[in-house]
Amino acid sequence: MPARPDLGPPPRLGYIASRIDRAAGLRGDDAALKKFGEAADAAGYVVGGDLVVLKAAVPVCDPLFAPAEARALGGIGETVLLGLLDGVPRFGFGVAAATAEQLKARDDLKVTDLRSIAVHGLVGPEHLPPLAEAKALLGWHARHRFCPNCGAATRPVQAGWRRDCPSCGAEHFPRTDPVVIMLALAGERCVLGRSRRFAPTMWSCLAGFAEPGEAIEEAVRREVLEEVGIACGRVKYFASQPWPFPSSIMIGCFAEARSDVIVVDRDELEGARWFEREEVAAMLKGQHPEGLTAPPPVAIAHHIMRSFVENGCDVLS
Ligand SMILES: [Zn+2]
């Protein structure tokens, strides 16, 4: 296989490259927040559980609602300040999952999950990063209504970026859970696995949560060893991606495989095997003879696999 095969222009990774200024310094500024809420051009994204509410349109939907439009949908709970886009406030408006579900009945709205929105390009790509921010943050609010320290009901402060406990005084911050996602490789081959949740033809990188007290490199080696029984040496960071399902950050890495025999953890994976670099190239191009496929370009796994196809084991250097 040529050293640098031509796969065409690189596709866009989803949820990254936000243009929003998070304006963290203004989150505690009540006067500024009041002004933002009343701004004529203020707008935001409506999220309920796994569902996002869009204004139905062709060819792409409009995901932005003015505050009054969002309130008119009914059932708005938390409102969070995502930040400023060219000085204009952008919010996340939280609704109950059941409310979002009910809004599916309206012809003027498109209510669907963020994965589908990203994979099918239902909104302009510039909306994916703030949608990820809104979904992760509003999802955190929905799941953290009570203080883990004393059990009392907490209340949102700092424009939605903290919840305080009025009983014990504890301050709670939105969490982001690190997930390592990696391609273990040796020479011209790499290891891909299949989860039972995947589409029937899809194979992807291995992945798992980093655990408390664990470095990223250690998490990569442990996950590969646990899932497929392969011992790894060198680990090289590739890139990362917010993954708001519900609140992860995917940390993409390459790992140098130092053993050969795959032993699949059947609790985690349906299958795993070695793939030749050329085979991965065919999957990315949609030309695999058995119809095997790679994850869509919106996901970092696609980009990790693509980098291996383009650069071979140089990805580890
Ligand atoms: Zn408390």
Side-chain angles (χ1 to χ4, degrees):
M1 166 156 218
R4 287 195 61 84
D6 183 11
L7 292 177
R12 186 167 172 152
L13 178 60
Y15 315 117
I16 67 156
S18 180
R19 287 190 55 233
I20 292 211
D21 166 8
R22 294 186 176 224
L26 296 175
R27 289 171 186 165
D29 184 336
D30 290 340
L33 296 179
K34 184 167 184 293
K35 200 176 79 179
F36 291 157
E38 294 165 353
D41 44 6
Y45 302 90
V46 179
V47 179
D50 286 331
L51 297 172
V52 178
V53 182
L54 310 172
K55 295 174 182 168
V58 176
V60 291
C61 297
D62 178 4
L64 286 173
F65 290 78
E69 289 178 318
R71 283 192 292 272
L73 295 172
I76 295 293
E78 265 95 15
T79 294
V80 298
L81 177 67
L82 302 178
L84 305 174
L85 180 66
D86 301 327
V88 176
R90 286 284 183 266
F91 294 101
F93 303 114
V95 297
T99 304
E101 193 67 41
Q102 286 165 4
L103 291 171
K104 283 182 173 177
R106 277 180 50 173
D107 289 341
D108 58 331
L109 301 174
K110 170 84 176 170
V111 182
T112 188
D113 65 283
L114 183 53
R115 275 191 184 87
S116 299
I117 291 170
V119 169
H120 301 300
L122 299 185
V123 300
E126 72 277 11
H127 291 298
L128 290 182
L131 275 170
E133 183 184 351
K135 181 175 181 302
L137 186 55
L138 290 165
W140 173 75
H141 282 287
R143 295 187 307 278
H144 292 79
R145 306 225 175 270
F146 296 94
C147 178
N149 194 41
C150 77
T154 54
R155 59 185 182 91
V157 295
Q158 291 280 319
W161 289 89
R162 204 175 82 200
R163 293 186 75 93
D164 286 357
C165 176
S167 178
C168 75
E171 298 174 346
H172 304 288
F173 294 87
R175 58 184 288 170
T176 298
D177 302 316
V179 174
V180 290
I181 177 164
M182 55 269 158
L183 193 65
L185 58 107
E188 290 288 293
R189 299 192 306 163
C190 67
V191 178
L192 297 177
R194 264 193 57 72
S195 157
R196 285 171 190 84
R197 294 175 287 107
F198 288 0
T201 58
M202 194 176 93
W203 291 74
S204 185
C205 301
L206 307 179
F209 285 104
E211 294 188 344
E214 191 173 48
I216 289 169
E217 292 85 347
E218 292 166 333
V220 166
R221 293 188 194 103
R222 175 184 54 76
E223 281 290 339
V224 176
L225 189 62
E226 284 178 2
E227 293 194 355
V228 296
I230 297 279
C232 288
R234 203 161 14 139
V235 172
K236 188 85 178 176
Y237 172 77
F238 171 65
S240 66
Q241 174 185 35
W243 194 250
F245 308 102
S247 56
S248 293
I249 179 164
M250 308 298 280
I251 302 166
C253 295
F254 295 101
E256 174 196 19
R258 286 191 172 162
S259 62
D260 188 60
V261 178
I262 289 179
V263 181
V264 179
D265 176 354
R266 296 283 169 188
D267 291 336
E268 292 281 332
L269 296 173
E270 185 179 83
R273 69 168 174 88
W274 288 99
F275 284 73
E276 293 293 329
R277 191 171 153 213
E278 284 189 41
E279 197 175 5
V280 180
M283 291 160 74
L284 290 168
K285 288 190 250 180
Q287 296 171 355
H288 192 280
E290 294 161 41
L292 303 187
T293 58
V298 70
I300 194 171
H302 182 103
H303 298 255
I304 294 172
M305 291 162 67
R306 182 185 165 105
S307 184
F308 172 60
V309 167
E310 288 183 328
N311 302 298
C313 56
D314 286 353
V315 292
L316 283 169
S317 60

